[in-house]
Amino acid sequence: MSRTGKIISWVVGVLVVVLIALVVFIMTFDWNRLKPTINEKVSTELNRPFAIRGNLGVDWSRQKEERGWRSWVPWPHIHAEDIVLGNPEGIPDTKDLGNNMVMLQRADATLAPLALLGKTVSIPHIRLTKPDAALQRLADGKNNWTFNLASSQNPDPNPQPSAWSVNIGDIAFDRGQIDYKDAIAKADVRAVIDPLGKPLPYAEISGQKKDEGAKQKADTTPPDFMFGWKVSGRYNGQPLSGSGKIGGLLALQDARTPFPVQADVRSGNTRVAVSGTLTDPTNLGALDLRLKLSGETLSDLYGLTGVLLPQSPPYETDGRLSAALKEKGGAVYRYRDFNGKIGDSDIHGSLVYRASEPRPKLTGDVVSKQLRFADLAPLIGADSNKDKAKRGETTRQPSDKVLPVEKFDTKSWDVMDADVKFAARRIEHGKSLPLNDLSTHLKLTNGVLLLDPLRFGVAGGNLNSTVRLEGNKNPMPGRVDMHARGLQLKQLFPNVEAMRSSLGQLNGDASFTGTGNSVSALLGSSNGQLQLLINDGVISRNLMEIAGLNVGNYVVGKLFGDDEVAINCAAADINIRDGVAAPRLFVFDTENAIINISGTTNFANERMDLSINPDSKGLRIITLRSPLYVRGTFKDPDAGVKAGPLIARGAAAVALGAVVGPAASLLALISPSEGEENQCGPLLQKMKAGK
């Protein structure tokens, strides 16, 4: 052998010996010697205690998944036992974990050695044994899951991107426990996770049909459920309980691999049931869940979801919730194609919730095929005290009050914006109020609520309104504008025989402003006016009974007896100041009399004091020539004949000469009825002329 050959042989031999020695050293090295260094380095970087208190070791073995020459390369399998991660300063101890945030009985990780040549730390598999965690947030907002890294306190002014990267594949785990205490959310919850006796197929739990599963690609089919879990405690001051199932392998490297989740949770009177998958869990990338909600009132969902919804009767919905949690501008949640009920009304639609700045926003479209009008009552506090008690409301409607006194919860209106359209195709309200549809466009912007338009179809006509409530001010200013057009009297009173052949209409305008945090307070401080015009109708005791006006029965009986009397025209121009309504003009022109109504109606104390002055015309003399009165409260009105002198004949005619202005403004409400002349025209023209 030449000299050169001998040198090469010696060099190769030395390298082989060194390599063997290195392998022997690595294979026999006591890795526990590194624990003090590892513990110190990690604790310093995390600014909280960290320790591997048990054995730290490395086992080497070949990977069956590898092919070719790579299958001969042994991979290190690192294991560490009794691992603890402490709390930052200021976080109190817990009963089970002491001053620790996380405790692990054992952690196993597999490292891909050849990836290190490409400056990549690749950990295809991690297994956690008996992971326990105690998460806490104090009243001042400080928590133990936010890490204040040492490297972030003195950042490099000219940072250079690292040439190294880290890839983590799957995380497997077994029985664990999570405690969660939150002083802000008023939460004290414990979740316990236990392995199932055997894996349960995803389709069996989620209800997915076999043909739906067949359409999915094999690499995106959700794995089996491996663990069951239970949760108990309190959240937002309400009892919390629930159970569910999850998969056993969390795929962190492949965002396409879904992680199965199923839950059925109750918080107070609210129930939330979900079944579906979480994808891209490293970045909390997306959710795809079937979501069922039910409870006593939609407003209870705010404490659970952060979505501000109004008071309502008991509800239930079933739809599909998907989420893109890493969207630019904030996470986006879509509740699609949901169906459900609120009270006795059905609801359908899709909603989108964007966690944007400065406020999250709810948008979407909701439709009801059949809406029960009474189910809208909680929106303005007009539901019964019994229903309020079911929802836990402390405000009760006084027995002597008619106008709702329950306050709008305006303090929450600025937590979220909204732009939602709602339509009801059919409205159920008995035969006394023939409503056929409802549509509105609701906008909530920085605490200001706008319903524009708020439209009802009523008796062949329509009622268009605009409602604006400035919930960002206290007391709350409000404004309402209403326009009634073409309401057909024969449809408005379908049970009145004489009205069925009527061609008459009701037209009117109303506009008022007020301040207050309830319907009662808004009307009690209101300023505005109401104008109303009715032509070609009838009035009778029967009509009053249908309308539910007992006082009206008395008044009509005194004026006309039991007969039905034709109304040529009814005209009203009512002024409202500081909650007191006083008619500038309120007149009924019937076939045998002209009736003037005067006096006041006070919305603040719900009292009225009205005078009804009849003046007979022609030869059909009304026997009663003394004025009538209607006094008392809205809840318990009283009617009778005024004591004193008889009405002077011609008093009504004299009154007409004092209403030139109101008569002129009411002429604008006249609309020809099916080509016939409106009978209010001649009367208003006469008033306008002061005759």
Side-chain angles (χ1 to χ4, degrees):
M1 180 180 293
S2 65
R3 181 181 180 82
T4 301
K6 290 181 179 181
I7 293 175
I8 293 174
S9 298
W10 273 101
V11 170
V12 171
V14 170
L15 290 176
V16 171
V17 171
V18 170
L19 182 60
I20 293 174
L22 181 61
V23 170
V24 172
F25 173 78
I26 292 175
M27 297 288 288
T28 60
F29 179 73
D30 184 5
W31 295 93
N32 287 298
R33 297 181 182 180
L34 296 180
K35 288 195 304 183
T37 302
I38 294 173
N39 294 342
E40 179 183 359
K41 292 290 186 181
V42 175
S43 298
T44 300
E45 176 62 19
L46 297 182
N47 276 316
R48 63 176 69 187
F50 172 85
I52 301 173
R53 301 187 300 194
N55 182 49
L56 174 65
V58 179
D59 300 320
W60 297 80
S61 63
R62 294 161 55 188
Q63 289 295 107
K64 297 179 180 179
E65 295 86 355
E66 294 295 307
R67 294 293 183 266
W69 64 270
R70 293 173 178 268
S71 63
W72 292 94
V73 178
W75 286 31
H77 301 277
I78 305 167
H79 64 267
E81 298 176 349
D82 195 7
I83 305 169
V84 294
L85 175 63
N87 286 316
E89 292 185 5
I91 300 295
D93 292 359
T94 61
K95 179 180 178 180
D96 292 340
L97 271 65
N99 196 34
N100 295 316
M101 174 186 169
V102 176
M103 295 183 68
L104 278 171
Q105 187 179 91
R106 180 183 172 104
D108 294 85
T110 300
L111 180 67
L114 296 179
L116 298 173
L117 300 177
K119 296 185 177 182
T120 298
V121 179
S122 178
I123 306 176
H125 307 289
I126 296 177
R127 180 177 177 82
L128 307 178
T129 304
K130 292 188 177 180
D132 291 341
L135 307 179
Q136 297 186 69
R137 183 168 64 167
L138 308 182
D140 60 3
K142 185 176 182 180
N143 62 70
N144 66 346
W145 60 79
T146 299
F147 290 86
N148 184 21
L149 302 180
S151 57
S152 64
Q153 297 177 358
N154 297 296
D156 188 344
N158 298 304
Q160 299 295 324
S162 174
W164 287 82
S165 61
V166 178
N167 286 332
I168 299 178
D170 303 326
I171 295 182
F173 48 89
D174 64 1
R175 189 263 180 207
Q177 177 177 296
I178 301 175
D179 289 330
Y180 174 62
K181 291 187 176 182
D182 191 329
I184 296 177
K186 300 178 183 178
D188 188 356
V189 178
R190 167 167 290 185
V192 178
I193 306 171
D194 282 307
L196 297 172
K198 62 178 182 179
L200 294 177
Y202 174 79
E204 180 179 324
I205 302 299
S206 66
Q208 185 186 68
K209 297 178 181 179
K210 292 183 178 181
D211 56 344
E212 292 176 347
K215 294 177 182 178
Q216 292 182 318
K217 295 181 179 179
D219 59 349
T220 61
T221 301
D224 295 340
F225 288 99
M226 301 294 293
F227 291 91
W229 58 267
K230 291 184 178 180
V231 64
S232 61
R234 299 186 70 84
Y235 184 84
N236 199 29
Q238 297 289 331
L240 178 73
S241 62
S243 61
K245 300 174 182 61
I246 57 175
L249 196 65
L250 196 61
L252 300 185
Q253 193 172 41
D254 188 353
R256 297 173 301 172
T257 302
F259 181 74
V261 294
Q262 182 266 330
D264 192 340
V265 179
R266 294 179 183 269
S267 176
N269 294 319
T270 303
R271 179 183 180 186
V272 180
V274 299
S275 178
T277 59
L278 165 68
T279 54
D280 194 10
T282 305
N283 300 306
L284 287 178
L287 293 170
D288 185 9
L289 306 170
R290 181 181 180 184
L291 172 62
K292 295 181 180 181
L293 300 169
S294 60
E296 287 296 321
T297 171
L298 287 169
S299 61
D300 287 346
L301 288 175
Y302 177 66
L304 286 174
T305 65
V307 180
L308 181 65
L309 295 170
Q311 294 280 7
S312 75
Y315 70 92
E316 59 181 32
T317 69
D318 184 355
R320 200 78 192 177
L321 176 68
S322 61
L325 305 178
K326 292 298 180 179
E327 290 291 304
K328 184 178 180 180
V332 179
Y333 300 84
R334 292 179 172 84
Y335 194 35
R336 297 175 285 117
D337 301 326
F338 64 82
N339 299 290
K341 294 183 67 177
I342 298 178
D344 292 324
S345 305
D346 66 285
I347 55 169
H348 317 270
S350 296
L351 295 171
V352 178
Y353 180 82
R354 290 179 171 83
S356 54
E357 296 292 341
R359 292 172 300 279
K361 187 172 184 178
L362 181 71
T363 60
D365 293 271
V366 180
V367 174
S368 177
K369 297 178 181 178
Q370 179 163 315
L371 173 67
R372 185 171 175 263
F373 203 69
D375 293 331
L376 298 177
L379 297 178
I380 58 173
D383 51 339
S384 68
N385 285 337
K386 183 179 180 180
D387 291 333
K388 290 181 174 66
K390 288 181 179 179
R391 299 197 308 266
E393 296 292 325
T394 57
T395 302
R396 298 289 186 268
Q397 182 71 17
S399 59
D400 60 341
K401 293 285 187 180
V402 173
L403 300 177
V405 301
E406 185 175 337
K407 293 184 177 180
F408 298 105
D409 188 14
T410 56
K411 68 179 182 297
S412 302
W413 285 12
D414 61 351
V415 302
M416 184 188 80
D417 291 346
D419 188 338
V420 178
K421 294 180 180 179
F422 175 75
R425 297 172 183 169
R426 184 175 180 271
I427 299 178
E428 179 187 334
H429 193 272
K431 297 180 180 180
S432 60
L433 188 58
L435 302 174
N436 55 291
D437 61 69
L438 161 67
S439 63
T440 188
H441 188 176
L442 180 150
K443 292 184 179 180
L444 180 64
T445 306
N446 196 21
V448 177
L449 177 67
L450 178 65
L451 298 174
D452 185 19
L454 173 58
R455 180 188 178 277
F456 288 92
V458 184
N462 57 75
L463 180 64
N464 286 301
S465 307
T466 299
V467 179
R468 178 182 173 88
L469 301 175
E470 299 181 40
N472 55 1
K473 299 176 182 178
N474 191 24
M476 177 179 68
R479 180 180 180 87
V480 177
D481 294 287
M482 303 175 65
H483 307 280
R485 292 294 183 270
L487 276 62
Q488 304 297 314
L489 296 182
K490 60 184 176 183
Q491 296 183 39
L492 197 58
F493 303 106
N495 293 332
V496 179
E497 182 69 29
M499 201 78 82
R500 294 179 183 177
S501 60
S502 171
L503 300 177
Q505 293 183 346
L506 182 151
N507 295 287
D509 290 329
S511 178
F512 68 87
T513 60
T515 56
N517 293 337
S518 68
V519 172
S520 177
L522 285 168
L523 289 175
S525 62
S526 59
N527 295 285
Q529 69 174 22
L530 166 66
Q531 293 181 314
L532 190 68
L533 210 60
I534 301 175
N535 72 287
D536 192 19
V538 297
I539 191 167
S540 66
R541 279 193 173 188
N542 183 37
L543 179 60
M544 295 299 100
E545 289 176 0
I546 292 172
L549 301 176
N550 294 327
V551 171
N553 284 341
Y554 174 84
V555 173
V556 171
K558 285 293 184 181
L559 291 175
F560 308 117
D562 294 329
D563 295 335
E564 290 182 336
V565 178
I567 298 176
N568 300 321
C569 177
D573 189 330
I574 300 173
N575 188 52
I576 305 173
R577 287 290 177 269
D578 298 325
V580 178
R584 295 190 294 176
L585 167 66
F586 199 163
V587 60
F588 284 81
D589 178 20
T590 73
E591 59 184 327
N592 54 11
I594 291 180
I595 302 167
N596 277 287
I597 299 177
S598 60
T600 60
T601 300
N602 192 318
F603 292 106
N605 58 21
E606 297 193 9
R607 299 191 69 87
M608 52 187 167
D609 187 359
L610 301 175
S611 295
I612 302 169
N613 301 295
D615 183 55
S616 62
K617 59 184 181 180
L619 297 176
R620 301 186 63 179
I621 306 298
I622 298 178
T623 56
L624 175 70
R625 294 184 57 209
S626 292
L628 303 178
Y629 68 81
V630 177
R631 299 171 184 159
T633 65
F634 294 178
K635 189 77 171 182
D636 188 20
D638 177 45
V641 179
K642 281 191 175 183
L646 299 179
I647 301 175
R649 285 192 53 80
V654 172
L656 296 183
V659 292
V660 175
S665 64
L666 285 169
L667 282 168
L669 293 179
I670 293 180
S671 175
S673 177
E674 298 185 8
E676 298 290 333
E677 181 180 356
N678 191 301
Q679 296 188 53
C680 284
L683 176 67
L684 295 177
Q685 291 290 356
K686 181 179 179 180
M687 293 180 185
K688 181 180 178 183
K691 297 178 182 180

